[in-house]
Amino acid sequence: MRLTKAIFQMEMRNILAYRFSFWINFFGTTIGQLGLSYFLWSSVYSASNSQRIGGMTFQMMILYSFLAPMTLKCIHGMQNLNINQDIFDGGLNKYIIYPLSYFQFKWVQHLTHTFSHAFQLFMGLAFFAIMIGMPSEYQFGAINIICFLINLAIASSLFAVMESIMEMMAFWADNVWSLSVLLRFVINLLSGAWLSLTLFPDWAQQAFYYLPFKGMVYPPVKILMGDMSLLEWAQSQLMMMVWFVLISFLARKMWQAGNLRYTGVGI
Amino acid sequence: MIHVKNLSKTFTVNEKEPGLKGSFKSLFKRKVITKYALNNINFDIHEGEIVGLIGANGAGKTTLSKILSGIIHPSSGEISVLGTDPWKREINFRKKMSLIMGQKASLWWDLPALDCYLLLKEIYQINDEDYHTRLNFLAETLGIKDQLKVQIRRLSLGERMKVELIAALLHNPQVVFLDEPTIGLDLTAQKAVRKFLLDYRRQFNPCMILTSHYMEDIEELCERIIILKEGSIVYDGPLKDIIAKYANEKQIILTLMNGDIIKERAPRDGIGERISALLKSHDVLDLSVTEIEISEIIEKILRQGVMA
């Protein structure tokens, strides 16, 4: 626990070491995302002549379109775990030498970035409330925030383990960057980050239920918006945890096999 | 402390034909070649010894350090470091060893050294008292106390090496692998690092394996050397023995009255006769007899591959 705390503190110091980047990132993402959502959906709603699309009013849709990418950003954490880079240039050596678990280190680092982005998300939400105003249907309580944070931790961990599999391919191939891009594309599409999942046909929505992605963005945003039952939310978390265990097992096997091929270049 | 028996390591590398045609061809089919990085290596190293690993580029020195520290997997053979197989990467083993990579930073560049040390304190589970005592001792001995709050990326190369040394020794390791610890440093910094390593060894008596291309490092730090050539050991023994064993000549340096200097080599057993002859034929102001440079002897061994 002390080590986890120390890694968290170190990574926070790393993040805060570049405060210019921190604030640019915050304002760029928040205002950019809000502006984009507003103009996009106002055109869509005026063209459709309907008060609700996918069961959501215009304001709800804007809120969703703002929260979904911000939530996705939280889940992406540090974006790349840099495992492929560590394998490629021998950076892994130091983690092998230090008496710690490489994955524990990367996982805590990743969650620290998730935490930092979540802080930005809540600041952005406050900005949204002041500038645009919360939709009248919006219901907000402590339980929603707690569920949201739990969801973030689970989804972020699931993303980290999926990303680690892509990056560990570097044990066998030199350049695996495209695999990470592919993973992000699939997650963005099937998690509801780009579009609310209610906009997909029914058969697709049913199929998504069994995939690991559905619980990553759609439920946390919906639970934060007070638009999902606790039971439905809990089911999505359970599904993610099952996937987490399965993918972790696969990651462990890959790590064991990959290490036999590791050459520790760079020293 | 370190036991190595019949150790071998092979690597497979892809070979690609040159040119655009070769690049296209390699998309579908590549020629794979198996290379021996280490071939049937045997040695033992005991507590308190500093052993120098010497060899040309690609001789297998770094591969050997990596296998002994558990970074890479050996292809065959028996290895025991501190009574355990390094490849198992047991936490207890990792707590007792250290690897200093002169060409590779092991600390986090965006943070000051002190922040990195705090993390290492938790990683190695060092108690507060030991942490402060060791940190003070290491920082004072290396003369780097004032730089510990500066972001590592802003330090000079010499200062970076010093903060890396502190990081590697903070947990008081029993086995230390030093891979080119003075590479790129100026002469003053090289001397400081060497002096520090000797002081550290005197005080804590760890077993050290040093890989360096600088002969000064080897001569000042190591009593024993292992010379590797193409993955095999060609010499393993005391550094001083290498002169008696392989240098069958000595060097005579004469300074003449007119200021000229003559350097000449003569067989060990005929050195007296040669000096007499030189004294008779020249007006000599000063005369000295020296051993041939160790680097030259090692170069000769590497060239000719003399077996131990």
Side-chain angles (χ1 to χ4, degrees), chain A residues 7-228:
Chain A
I7 299 169
F8 174 81
Q9 286 176 340
M10 186 207 72
E11 200 54 31
M12 274 315 284
R13 282 192 289 259
N14 242 333
I15 293 168
L16 299 174
Y18 298 98
R19 60 181 180 171
F20 180 74
S21 157
F22 181 87
W23 288 114
I24 285 289
N25 199 341
F26 169 64
F27 284 111
T29 315
T30 312
I31 294 168
Q33 200 56 52
L34 268 178
L36 187 75
S37 307
Y38 188 85
F39 292 114
L40 175 76
W41 287 107
S42 50
S43 307
V44 173
Y45 273 81
S46 58
S48 74
N49 287 323
S50 171
Q51 292 291 310
R52 286 178 183 268
I53 295 178
M56 284 196 267
T57 62
F58 173 69
Q59 264 190 312
M60 286 288 272
M61 188 62 86
I62 298 272
L63 184 61
Y64 182 90
S65 305
F66 165 71
L67 284 177
M70 293 290 283
T71 304
L72 184 69
K73 198 176 161 195
C74 294
I75 289 158
H76 281 173
M78 61 193 287
Q79 299 288 337
N80 298 304
L81 300 173
N82 292 325
I83 297 172
N84 54 339
Q85 197 60 36
D86 286 342
I87 294 166
F88 187 71
D89 66 14
L92 195 55
N93 295 348
K94 72 174 171 191
Y95 298 100
I96 293 173
I97 298 298
Y98 293 148
L100 53 73
S101 153
Y102 178 60
F103 284 100
Q104 182 195 357
F105 191 91
K106 289 287 175 184
W107 179 66
V108 177
Q109 263 191 318
H110 180 77
L111 284 186
T112 309
H113 283 259
T114 297
F115 175 81
S116 160
H117 295 317
F119 176 70
Q120 292 190 348
L121 182 144
F122 282 108
M123 281 170 69
L125 197 60
F127 184 77
F128 183 97
I130 295 164
M131 300 303 290
I132 296 177
M134 287 298 185
S136 53
E137 305 92 324
Y138 190 75
Q139 290 171 0
F140 189 84
I143 190 79
N144 300 72
I145 296 176
I146 293 166
C147 289
F148 175 78
L149 291 175
I150 291 170
N151 202 145
L152 274 194
I154 297 171
S156 184
S157 304
L158 180 60
F159 171 80
V161 75
M162 285 197 278
E163 175 69 16
S164 75
I165 286 204
M166 298 296 147
E167 295 187 18
M168 271 194 282
M169 288 302 290
F171 280 123
W172 290 271
D174 284 346
N175 198 337
V176 294
W177 173 79
S178 51
L179 289 175
S180 295
V181 174
L182 187 69
L183 174 70
R184 274 188 200 85
F185 175 81
V186 172
I187 290 175
N188 292 359
L189 187 68
L190 303 183
S191 65
W194 281 345
L195 280 174
S196 168
L197 293 182
T198 53
L199 298 174
F200 285 87
D202 284 346
W203 63 265
Q205 288 185 45
Q206 279 176 4
F208 293 163
Y209 178 79
Y210 296 100
L211 296 177
F213 316 107
K214 194 198 164 186
M216 296 177 100
V217 174
Y218 188 72
V221 173
K222 283 292 193 180
I223 200 83
L224 191 62
M225 290 169 74
D227 203 18
M228 183 182 258

Side-chain angles (χ1 to χ4, degrees), chain A residues 2-10 13, chain B residues 118-119 122:
Chain A
R2 282 175 62 129
L3 178 59
T4 302
K5 189 180 154 199
I7 299 169
F8 174 81
Q9 286 176 340
M10 186 207 72
R13 282 192 289 259
Chain B
L118 281 175
L119 181 63
E122 298 305 329

